[in-house]
Amino acid sequence: MRFQHKYFVPLMFLIGYGWPALVGWYFGDFWGAMLWIGFVSRIYVWHATWSINSFAHWMGERLYCDSISA
């Protein structure tokens, strides 16, 4: 845990962009792998994560109550 905390930023770039670059180099399509594995998948995960709140408010059936103080 200390190692991960100390080297978070280099590990983030290594796993997020180094791994796709290595896979792309191995299969002969460096820029394709960087695009699909590195960028498109990351954007998809961000949108999937952040859309949960929007969908909950859009599809939710719970009525608003003034007695809730939260």
Side-chain angles (χ1 to χ4, degrees):
M1 193 60 109
R2 287 183 186 176
F3 177 80
Q4 182 182 1
H5 182 71
K6 185 176 181 180
Y7 297 107
F8 174 73
V9 174
L11 285 172
M12 176 185 62
F13 282 107
L14 179 67
I15 293 170
Y17 298 107
W19 177 250
L22 185 64
V23 169
W25 173 78
Y26 181 77
F27 287 108
D29 187 14
F30 175 80
W31 291 111
M34 287 299 290
L35 176 69
W36 288 103
I37 301 172
F39 299 117
V40 173
S41 64
R42 184 173 324 279
I43 290 170
Y44 173 77
V45 169
W46 286 342
H47 283 298
T49 302
W50 296 329
S51 67
I52 298 300
N53 189 35
S54 299
F55 288 132
H57 285 287
W58 180 48
M59 298 295 292
E61 297 294 329
R62 187 171 179 186
L63 299 176
Y64 177 74
C65 180
D66 289 335
S67 64
I68 298 175
S69 64

